[in-house]
Amino acid sequence: MSDQLFGQTWAHLNGLGYIYPHENVKTALWSIWKYNWAPDVAAQNKIHPPERTYANSGEAGLLICTWPRSAHMGQNGVRYRDEVWTGIEYQVATNMIYEGMIDEAVSIVKGIHERYSPEKHNPWNEIECGDHYARALASWGVLIALEDFYYNGPQKIIGFAPKVQRENFESFFTSAEAWGNIVQKKTGAAQTNRIAVKYGVLNLSQIIIEPLLQPKKVRVYTRAGELACTYKFQEKKIAVSFKEVQLQKSEDINVVIDF
């Protein structure tokens, strides 16, 4: 069942770590990929016609449920078993990203985008039970996972560690009272991580990032100049702490790591 690890995905998105044994999570995701992912759903749709068709012949999709080691249960199995739901696909892709299954995750997302290409469907309306169905908003989790984004408003902490294009990455973030851009770039023997506020107010006292190499020196800059900081390097990530700053629209903060 593709949705069997939904709770684990939610735990990762909220920074709670593993709620199931790591190896079991990994094995389950690889099994979902092996048995439920179809680069072309034509054969499955022909043998086990879905109650509602959301993926047509020639299109890729992640099936809700399969029985690889026994007879297909048909009407005795879970309802909607043979359908393809974007909300589940995004959820599974999100979890795969946290397990390092980047190619598999991106393949699932690409399959959705190709099914909903403008030539065929409205790309802003990924239909499930009805038009503009809420489950498709699980797509937001894919963004958070690819950024490995973390935010704790009360503790004034933000963190991000891109899983793709790590030496030249740019995306966006949202917080309780602000939104803006996050950037990670490696230039020579230094890495710069920038948080730029485009709207609202962002209070920060710590930034957590993942250095691409062993850090030798860490510096923090705002428009006012260099800030005094301390840092801890643990489990591949570095937590940079400094006196609380308040960033407003058009202001940014930069962490520079020298290797």
Side-chain angles (χ1 to χ4, degrees):
M1 189 171 187
S2 288
D3 231 12
Q4 63 180 282
L5 292 171
F6 186 95
Q8 183 58 69
T9 304
W10 189 239
H12 280 320
L13 287 170
N14 285 279
L16 300 177
Y18 286 92
I19 57 175
Y20 302 119
H22 183 197
E23 286 306 311
N24 295 62
V25 171
K26 228 172 176 179
T27 300
L29 285 172
W30 278 112
S31 295
I32 291 168
W33 173 255
K34 180 178 180 179
Y35 297 119
N36 291 30
W37 170 248
D40 183 346
V41 299
Q44 174 76 11
N45 284 4
K46 183 177 181 180
I47 298 171
H48 304 295
E51 185 172 338
R52 301 165 300 182
T53 302
Y54 299 125
N56 295 298
S57 296
E59 296 179 331
L62 188 74
L63 298 160
I64 288 178
C65 194
T66 62
W67 287 265
R69 298 185 180 181
S70 66
H72 189 284
M73 291 187 69
Q75 295 297 324
N76 294 321
V78 62
R79 192 179 179 186
Y80 308 128
R81 57 202 165 270
D82 301 312
E83 295 183 1
V84 172
W85 294 358
T86 60
I88 292 179
E89 291 177 302
Y90 284 130
Q91 181 274 124
V92 171
T94 298
N95 209 345
M96 287 178 170
I97 292 166
Y98 283 111
E99 289 302 323
M101 299 171 65
I102 306 298
D103 289 345
E104 292 76 15
V106 172
S107 294
I108 291 173
V109 174
K110 182 182 179 183
I112 299 170
H113 288 182
E114 289 180 347
R115 291 204 308 269
Y116 282 90
S117 63
E119 296 84 359
K120 296 187 289 184
H121 299 290
N122 178 356
W124 309 111
N125 181 16
E126 295 169 357
I127 302 167
E128 285 192 17
C129 185
D131 284 341
H132 305 285
Y133 203 61
R135 190 181 287 110
L137 291 174
S139 58
W140 191 260
V142 175
L143 171 72
I144 298 300
L146 285 173
E147 297 175 340
D148 197 5
F149 182 76
Y150 174 78
Y151 173 67
N152 186 318
Q155 294 184 15
K156 303 174 178 62
I157 300 171
I158 268 187
F160 64 101
K163 300 304 180 187
V164 293
Q165 299 172 213
R166 299 179 67 206
E167 295 189 359
N168 186 17
F169 180 87
E170 184 167 1
S171 187
F172 66 94
F173 76 92
T174 61
S175 66
E177 297 180 288
W179 55 262
N181 292 341
I182 52 176
V183 178
Q184 176 172 292
K185 290 186 184 293
K186 181 179 180 295
T187 306
Q191 170 184 332
T192 300
N193 287 62
R194 177 181 301 113
I195 299 169
V197 175
K198 301 299 182 182
Y199 174 85
V201 174
L202 178 64
N203 294 299
L204 286 180
S205 62
Q206 188 177 94
I207 299 173
I208 302 173
I209 53 184
E210 187 172 312
L212 300 174
L213 297 170
Q214 183 75 22
K216 292 182 179 179
K217 184 179 180 181
V218 176
R219 293 166 285 149
V220 178
Y221 296 93
T222 65
R223 185 168 62 180
E226 185 171 356
L227 297 179
C229 70
T230 59
Y231 69 90
K232 291 183 179 180
F233 186 41
Q234 188 175 9
E235 296 181 354
K236 297 183 179 181
K237 293 190 176 182
I238 186 169
V240 185
S241 301
F242 41 86
K243 186 177 179 180
E244 181 183 339
V245 296
Q246 184 180 84
L247 302 175
Q248 303 199 30
K249 182 179 179 180
S250 301
E251 294 183 334
D252 60 26
I253 186 168
N254 295 267
V255 177
V256 180
I257 303 173
D258 297 315
F259 303 127

